[in-house]
Amino acid sequence: MAVLPILLVLLLGSSPTSSRAADEELEVTVLDVSLLEPHTSCSGHRVMPPHPHNNSWMPLFRPLGPCSPSFKAAAAAARAKPSLAAVLRQDRLRVHHIHRRVSGSRGARASKGSFKEPVSVEETQLHHQAAISVEVGTSQTSSEPSSSIHPAATDGSSSPPVTVVLDTAGDVPWMRCVPCTFAQCADYDPTRSSTYFAFPCNSSECKQLGRYANGCSSNGQCQYIVTGDSFTTSGTYSSDVLTINSGNPVHGFLFGCSQNEQGSFENQADGIMALGRGVQSLMAQTSSTYGDAFSYCLPPTETTKGFFQIGVPIGASYRFVTTPMLKERGPAATLYRALLVAITVDGKALNVPPEVFAAGTVMDSRTIITRLPVTAYGALRAAFRNRMRYRAAPPQEELDTCYDLTGVRYPRLPRIALVFDGNAVVEMDRSGILLHGCLAFASNDDDSSPSILGNVQQQTIQVLHDVGGGRIGFRSAAC
């Protein structure tokens, strides 16, 4: 029988002989991922997702896991799983990308020595990413390609689904299109969609691209370019019908039709669904219909599903703890940031001066490991080590607090909570504390760069980005 392929945690009651101090700690089961076989079935949602009401809801999944619509067990078994070192190297590229954007806005410097050439390992980050399945385009009954002047007849049906990775730090949605110059194109072929339109260079949409504009093609079509943490994509700036669930099409959805790529974007995904605060993002394009808000819940394992919602959750708002959303100018203006004010371990606040957190905390769906100011991380590490009663193991890259849990079925883990402005206390789920037996936090180089809340710590928590309400919210045990 197959077993879970990543960290699995179960809450257990304290034993009768435990000390009072120990009783205050959580007991969890931690399984060594290196000893586990791949799991080939999806168990669905661990918690029933909220009713969509007036907003759009859809399942969220790990692109390489069995909950992905395109999952193939044979291909998964043959695929080499990237090493932890490779995953962390790729994650450092992501952190550098975010810090570089912030440093361009406020003069703070990016983490030194964090930038390296993209690693050659494919799909390194995709194990830890969140994706949704969408449909782009409308099938046409005619075999003739469509144009803006003479659109082809349509039978009203949508195109094959594509898998897009959610990116809260991205501004321009894009997806791989046919034809393309890279190894794997998506199933989306603009010539087969009756509703596809390529923007001309003199269009207002092209002028709105700003720093993402990339000139004009030989036939007068607007070109875009997006440089990510480890890749660059370019192609034609376009529009088509986006279907995010069966009943909510977004007409005239603007996106980059990617025909050229450089770097190491993963082959098991078809593109990026940008959710940033830029004028080209999905949020900006759907704000008049759903309001300027979205939320998501990342599942703790590849074998379970989370969810993604557009709009403010109706009927569940009282379950969120909220904190003000910070505003920024310049390249970092489209990032989602909040003010972290304290960290607690087993309910006790760490002795960290408030000014250490002054740079704010970026909420990011694609960074894996949470980054903290060096002073804050040092205090967290000391408190965590003081409460762990297991033999230390060698560090793994920047993960310097690791343990040998071989043969330990029920290790005890201290509770960790992040406290945001407004007394918004967010306790980490048990699955968000360790990664491969190591404390799943890392340090910035100093206290001037912002913290980044990684997706390991966001697992099972519904994270609300309410731009209209100027707040960020957290609801625990949501998926």
Side-chain angles (χ1 to χ4, degrees):
M1 183 179 68
V3 289
L4 297 183
I6 62 175
L7 191 69
L8 174 68
V9 292
L10 303 171
L11 180 63
L12 301 175
S14 298
S15 65
T17 57
S18 299
S19 66
R20 181 177 180 180
D23 284 339
E24 295 175 352
E25 299 179 345
L26 292 176
E27 284 193 24
V28 297
T29 299
V30 180
L31 301 182
D32 185 357
V33 294
S34 66
L35 303 177
L36 300 179
E37 300 174 359
H39 199 59
T40 57
S41 63
C42 176
S43 58
H45 292 95
R46 297 168 63 244
V47 179
M48 282 300 294
H51 191 277
H53 293 285
N54 294 327
N55 46 45
S56 184
W57 175 95
M58 66 210 75
L60 180 151
F61 54 87
R62 309 282 188 181
L64 298 183
C67 293
S68 170
S70 60
F71 177 77
K72 293 179 176 61
R79 184 186 301 123
K81 189 172 183 179
S83 66
L84 177 62
V87 170
L88 293 175
R89 284 198 300 272
Q90 198 80 6
D91 201 41
R92 286 196 293 272
L93 293 174
R94 178 69 175 184
V95 171
H96 174 83
H97 174 71
I98 292 176
H99 282 170
R100 184 172 53 187
R101 286 176 62 178
V102 175
S103 67
S105 299
R106 300 190 290 111
R109 65 187 184 88
S111 298
K112 63 183 180 181
S114 60
F115 181 78
K116 296 180 181 179
E117 289 299 315
V119 296
S120 59
V121 180
E122 293 289 344
E123 305 158 359
T124 50
Q125 276 194 308
L126 215 55
H127 288 274
H128 297 272
Q129 300 301 298
I132 58 175
S133 180
V134 299
E135 297 171 347
V136 180
T138 310
S139 299
Q140 57 190 42
T141 57
S142 169
S143 60
E144 295 296 321
S146 62
S147 70
S148 59
I149 301 176
H150 302 291
T154 175
D155 60 10
S157 60
S158 53
S159 298
V162 294
T163 296
V164 287
V165 174
L166 301 183
D167 187 355
T168 56
D171 294 329
V172 178
W174 64 268
M175 66 187 64
R176 290 167 165 166
C177 298
V178 177
C180 62
T181 60
F182 35 87
Q184 179 173 325
C185 292
D187 291 329
Y188 175 66
D189 185 348
T191 65
R192 296 183 178 275
S193 173
S194 62
T195 46
Y196 173 78
F197 179 70
F199 290 109
C201 295
N202 61 355
S203 65
S204 59
E205 289 84 358
C206 189
K207 294 175 182 177
Q208 195 179 53
L209 276 174
R211 63 192 177 100
Y212 299 108
N214 194 34
C216 232
S217 67
S218 57
N219 59 353
Q221 293 179 344
C222 178
Q223 301 295 291
Y224 82 97
I225 185 169
V226 171
T227 299
D229 38 286
S230 60
F231 64 89
T232 296
T233 170
S234 60
T236 303
Y237 198 50
S238 315
S239 73
D240 210 330
V241 175
L242 171 71
T243 304
I244 49 182
N245 62 35
S246 58
N248 293 276
V250 179
H251 297 278
F253 173 67
L254 281 61
F255 66 99
C257 200
S258 177
Q259 285 121 5
N260 301 283
E261 289 181 20
Q262 294 178 332
S264 59
F265 186 74
E266 301 87 351
N267 281 338
Q268 298 302 312
D270 301 315
I272 290 287
M273 184 57 73
L275 300 172
R277 298 170 70 177
V279 295
Q280 302 92 0
S281 75
L282 176 66
M283 288 306 95
Q285 295 189 52
T286 59
S287 60
S288 61
T289 303
Y290 298 108
D292 205 355
F294 70 93
S295 62
Y296 58 78
C297 186
L298 304 177
T301 73
E302 290 181 341
T303 61
T304 54
K305 291 182 180 180
F307 60 84
F308 172 68
Q309 279 187 283
I310 304 177
V312 176
I314 298 175
S317 297
Y318 69 94
R319 300 178 185 175
F320 287 84
V321 295
T322 62
T323 186
M325 183 182 294
L326 302 181
K327 295 182 178 180
E328 188 79 74
R329 293 183 178 182
T334 59
L335 298 175
Y336 297 98
R337 295 172 56 247
L339 183 61
L340 181 66
V341 296
I343 302 173
T344 68
V345 177
D346 281 341
K348 183 178 180 180
L350 302 179
N351 185 20
V352 179
E355 57 267 24
V356 168
F357 301 110
T361 299
V362 175
M363 308 290 152
D364 187 33
S365 62
R366 297 197 68 201
T367 298
I368 299 172
I369 301 300
T370 290
R371 263 54 177 202
L372 295 172
V374 61
T375 300
Y377 176 72
L380 172 63
R381 177 180 59 189
F384 189 83
R385 287 177 175 177
N386 186 54
R387 287 164 174 77
M388 290 292 280
R389 297 292 182 264
Y390 305 102
R391 184 172 60 185
Q396 301 285 334
E397 302 289 321
E398 60 263 50
L399 302 182
D400 60 5
T401 302
C402 304
Y403 297 92
D404 181 1
L405 299 174
T406 304
V408 180
R409 188 174 182 183
Y410 306 122
R412 295 179 179 274
L413 299 179
R415 304 185 308 273
I416 298 176
L418 305 181
V419 183
F420 291 91
D421 189 26
N423 197 34
V425 180
V426 184
E427 184 167 326
M428 303 295 96
D429 183 75
R430 298 174 301 278
S431 65
I433 296 177
L434 294 179
L435 181 69
H436 288 243
C438 302
L439 177 63
F441 291 78
S443 173
N444 288 334
D445 290 319
D446 53 36
D447 290 341
S448 66
S449 297
S451 305
I452 303 176
L453 183 62
N455 58 34
V456 169
Q457 281 68 39
Q458 296 178 49
Q459 289 174 169
T460 77
I461 299 172
Q462 184 177 3
V463 184
L464 170 66
H465 302 68
D466 183 4
V467 177
R471 59 178 183 158
I472 293 174
F474 305 89
R475 182 170 74 92
S476 299
C479 65

